[in-house]
Structures are given as structure tokens and as C-alpha cells.
């Protein structure tokens, strides 16, 4: 028995999504109509179409209305502005990439704050990085919407009880060390900031460098700060990390499992498998191979929050 290898628990996104859906369904019971999500598809990317179809299916299965509007990208700006002022539309999602340039960032800012269920508006991004959790910090009645994929990872960590609920809200990752492999503006960097704002020491690993996100010793700072780690690589980060989260968009990339700390929690948010599923089970205590289904449910949750805020307003 002494030579027997420890068991790695593989946790599927579908099981995590179910618990979140219960919360969403309870919220739906309290409102008088099905919230309407409008999706704009002006992208030629096949993955965008798959995501749009998946969004629609999940909406309809769970008591929401969904309307996909497929159009030429040159007509997208006007179409978003019309939807912004349509009282029947509760949320707007735009499927990227469209122009694959800074013009996509401009499109993100066109969606009204009240209907931005992806949390991509400048106000939401500002609040996220500044660790401001409400649109009305004094009254604390309107939550600031967080981007769906980073929030999905947070919800997974809560489900796995990586968050310590004995500690005060906002400090529940204190003492945890996390490595995030990916520093994209859409997922990797926001995720590192969110984790650090909750108290974790986060190593953000990109192609050329490593940055450390943290709130200072003893959580002295209200929001995270970023420190460059010259000369650091994954070899420095992985042996220190309780949790390793990877989202490298390439089928050839694999996290070097031999560097993982024994019993680490490993989460993959790339569409490709960043962990060798056989090897990672020999080292990790928990492995989450994909998060897509949780991301979709988080989108519905954001839609419900936006709808209720609009009704209250």
C-alpha cells in the first residue's frame, strides 16, 4: 500500500455548472419575464459560430431568450447602438474576433454598460483592476460585472474550496500561490488581477517573462500591484504553486508536469489540452480539463444580474 500512487480527482465542468445553474434558476423565479440576450455574429471565425450556437442552446434550455443576429461587420456598429436603446434587450454579446485589430476594442466599448454581460466595458475593466466590486460603492446594491472566462475560473476555485471561507470576503485566497500561464488582455491578465485582489500571490507567465501580482505582505494594499521577475521562468513558478491555471492557445504546448508541486490543483482553460492528461494525474490532486460549460453559465448569471439591476433602476 505504501507504493500506491495518490488518486487525482478529475472534475468536469458540467458538474460545476450544475451548481451554478441552481442559483440562476432560483433568480429566474423572482422575475416576471425571460431575459433576452442578443448575440451579434459578424465574425468569419468558425469557433465564434460554435460559441454562438452553444450560447443559444444553453439560454433556451435554461429559461432565457436568445436571438442571434448575423450581419456584415461594417453594419455591426449601428446594430449595437440600436440594441442599446431597445428596452426589450437585456444583454448583448458580440462574438470575436471581428477585425482582429484595435477596432475590436472599440466595438467592445460600444455596448452600453447596462447591457454588457461580458464585463468588457471600460468602467467594468477599471473596477476589476482597481478592486472596486460595486458600481455604487457606498450603497453596494449594483455589482460590477466581471469578464466571463476569468469569473468562470474563480467559480471553479470556489467550488473546489480553494477559497477559504473562514477568511473575510475579499481575502479568501490569502496564503495561496497560483501560476497563470497566459497573459492575454481577455483572460490571463484579468484572471491574475482577480486572484491577487482576493489575496493570492500570482505568478503571471507569458512567452517572454514572468510578473508577480500581489497585495503586499499581510494584505496591506487594497488592490494588487505588479512586480517584474527578471530571469524567472516556469521552472521558478511551478514548484511554488498550489494552483496552476493554463490557457495557451496551441495544441503543441504542454505544461511541464515534472515541475509541478505534488498535489497541485491544475485547471485548463485553453480550447487545447495544455496538460498531458495521463502525466498530470500522477502529480496533481485535482485536474479540471476544460471550463467552457461553466463560462456559459457565468454568462447567464451576468445576464440575470444585469436584468435585475435594470429592473431595480
Amino acid at each position: 500500500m505504501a507504493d500506491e500512487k495518490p488518486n487525482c480527482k478529475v472534475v468536469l465542468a458540467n458538474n460545476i455548472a450544475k451548481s451554478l445553474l441552481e442559483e440562476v434558476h432560483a433568480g429566474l423565479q423572482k422575475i416576471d419575464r425571460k431575459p433576452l440576450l442578443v448575440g451579434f455574429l459578424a465574425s468569419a471565425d468558425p469557433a465564434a459560430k460554435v460559441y454562438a450556437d452553444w450560447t443559444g442552446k444553453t439560454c433556451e434550455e435554461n429559461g432565457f431568450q436568445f436571438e442571434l443576429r448575423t450581419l456584415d461587420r461594417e453594419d455591426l456598429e449601428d446594430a449595437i447602438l440600436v440594441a442599446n436603446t431597445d428596452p426589450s434587450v437585456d444583454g448583448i454579446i458580440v462574438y470575436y474576433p471581428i477585425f482582429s485589430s484595435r477596432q475590436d476594442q472599440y466595438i467592445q466599448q460600444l455596448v452600453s454598460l447596462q447591457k454588457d454581460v461580458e464585463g468588457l466595458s471600460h468602467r467594468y475593466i477599471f473596477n476589476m483592476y482597481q478592486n472596486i466590486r460595486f458600481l455604487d460603492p457606498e450603497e453596494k446594491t449594483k455589482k460590477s460585472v466581471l469578464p466571463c472566462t476569468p469569473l468562470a475560473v474563480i467559480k471553479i476555485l470556489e467550488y473546489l474550496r480553494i477559497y477559504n471561507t473562514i477568511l473575510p470576503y475579499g481575502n479568501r485566497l490569502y496564503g495561496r500561490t497560483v501560476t497563470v500561464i497566459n497573459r492575454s488582455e481577455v483572460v490571463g491578465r484579468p484572471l491574475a488581477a482577480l486572484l491577487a485582489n482576493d489575496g493570492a500571490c500570482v505568478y503571471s507567465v507569458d512567452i517572454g517573462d514572468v510578473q508577480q501580482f500581489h497585495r503586499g505582505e499581510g494584505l496591506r494594499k487594497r488592490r494588487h500591484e505588479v512586480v517584474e521577475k527578471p530571469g524567472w521562468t516556469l521552472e521558478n513558478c511551478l514548484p511554488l504553486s498550489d494552483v496552476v491555471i493554463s490557457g495557451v492557445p496551441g495544441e503543441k504546448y504542454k505544461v511541464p508536469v515534472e515541475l509541478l508541486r505534488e498535489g497541485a490543483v491544475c485547471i485548463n482553460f485553453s480550447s487545447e489540452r495544455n496538460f498531458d492528461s495521463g502525466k498530470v494525474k500522477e502529480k496533481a490532486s485535482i485536474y479540471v480539463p476544460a471550463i467552457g460549460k461553466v463560462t456559459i453559465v457565468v454568462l447567464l448569471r451576468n445576464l440575470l444580474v444585469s436584468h435585475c439591476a435594470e429592473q431595480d433602476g
Side-chain angles (χ1 to χ4, degrees):
M1 288 296 290
D3 295 330
E4 191 173 302
K5 290 182 180 177
N7 291 322
C8 173
K9 176 75 173 175
V10 177
V11 180
L12 300 180
N14 193 43
N15 294 331
I16 304 169
K18 282 179 184 174
S19 65
L20 285 172
L21 274 173
E22 290 175 8
E23 178 189 332
V24 169
H25 291 157
L28 278 176
Q29 301 303 313
K30 299 174 184 176
I31 58 178
D32 56 1
R33 69 175 177 84
K34 294 181 179 181
L36 171 62
L37 176 65
V38 170
F40 286 104
L41 182 63
S43 171
D45 187 336
K49 179 63 166 66
V50 170
Y51 186 34
D53 291 342
W54 198 10
T55 311
K57 184 173 183 289
T58 307
C59 280
E60 287 159 11
E61 285 176 350
N62 290 286
F64 292 81
Q65 299 179 80
F66 180 76
E67 185 180 316
L68 183 62
R69 299 179 184 177
T70 305
L71 68 173
D72 187 273
R73 66 184 190 176
E74 301 303 331
D75 298 324
L76 180 59
E77 182 174 345
D78 288 342
I80 291 173
L81 294 176
V82 169
N84 280 344
T85 59
D86 184 343
S88 71
V89 176
D90 298 288
I92 294 171
I93 179 171
V94 182
Y95 298 99
Y96 299 97
I98 301 164
F99 295 94
S100 296
S101 67
R102 292 191 67 181
Q103 195 165 348
D104 281 7
Q105 295 174 26
Y106 168 70
I107 295 294
Q108 289 173 2
Q109 301 312 313
L110 285 177
V111 178
S112 77
L113 190 69
Q114 291 73 27
K115 300 185 182 186
D116 175 17
V117 293
E118 295 184 278
L120 298 177
S121 297
H122 174 74
R123 175 77 180 280
Y124 288 143
I125 297 295
F126 175 84
N127 280 5
M128 177 186 67
Y129 283 119
Q130 294 295 320
N131 200 15
I132 300 169
R133 304 192 178 218
F134 293 88
L135 290 176
D136 52 349
E138 297 297 325
E139 294 82 8
K140 296 184 178 180
T141 60
K142 296 182 179 179
K143 280 189 175 180
S144 197
V145 172
L146 296 172
C148 295
T149 303
L151 182 55
V153 175
I154 299 293
K155 291 298 175 185
I156 289 167
L157 291 174
E158 289 179 347
Y159 178 90
L160 299 177
R161 301 196 176 143
I162 305 302
Y163 274 72
N164 186 347
T165 54
I166 294 174
L167 295 175
Y169 179 71
N171 292 339
R172 291 178 172 176
L173 287 179
Y174 184 48
R176 299 290 192 185
T177 301
V178 183
T179 289
V180 178
I181 308 169
N182 171 304
R183 202 183 304 135
S184 69
E185 292 300 319
V186 179
V187 184
R189 195 161 80 94
L191 176 58
L194 286 169
L195 295 172
N197 284 342
D198 279 338
C201 167
V202 184
Y203 294 110
S204 172
V205 181
D206 210 7
I207 293 172
D209 67 347
V210 174
Q211 295 178 343
Q212 183 186 25
F213 287 57
H214 64 92
R215 278 173 49 203
E217 278 189 46
L219 297 177
R220 286 199 299 262
K221 302 178 186 302
R222 182 184 62 80
R223 61 174 295 270
H224 73 279
E225 61 179 29
V226 180
V227 179
E228 299 288 341
K229 304 292 287 183
W232 275 51
T233 67
L234 270 179
E235 289 189 13
N236 303 99
C237 306
L238 293 184
L240 303 175
S241 298
D242 309 298
V243 181
V244 178
I245 305 165
S246 187
V248 177
E251 61 181 47
K252 293 182 180 178
Y253 178 78
K254 298 294 179 197
V255 175
V257 170
E258 66 277 8
L259 297 176
L260 289 175
R261 186 175 180 173
E262 290 280 351
V265 173
C266 297
I267 300 171
N268 174 63
F269 69 82
S270 171
S271 57
E272 311 290 346
R273 292 290 171 93
N274 283 182
F275 295 90
D276 181 302
S277 59
K279 291 179 181 177
V280 76
K281 291 173 191 173
E282 295 179 5
K283 207 78 178 279
S285 59
I286 300 173
Y287 173 46
V288 182
I291 72 164
K293 290 185 178 178
V294 180
T295 304
I296 292 285
V297 176
V298 164
L299 178 72
L300 297 184
R301 186 175 176 274
N302 283 354
L303 175 60
L304 190 61
V305 168
S306 294
H307 172 82
C308 292
E310 190 70 11
Q311 295 291 101
D312 294 341

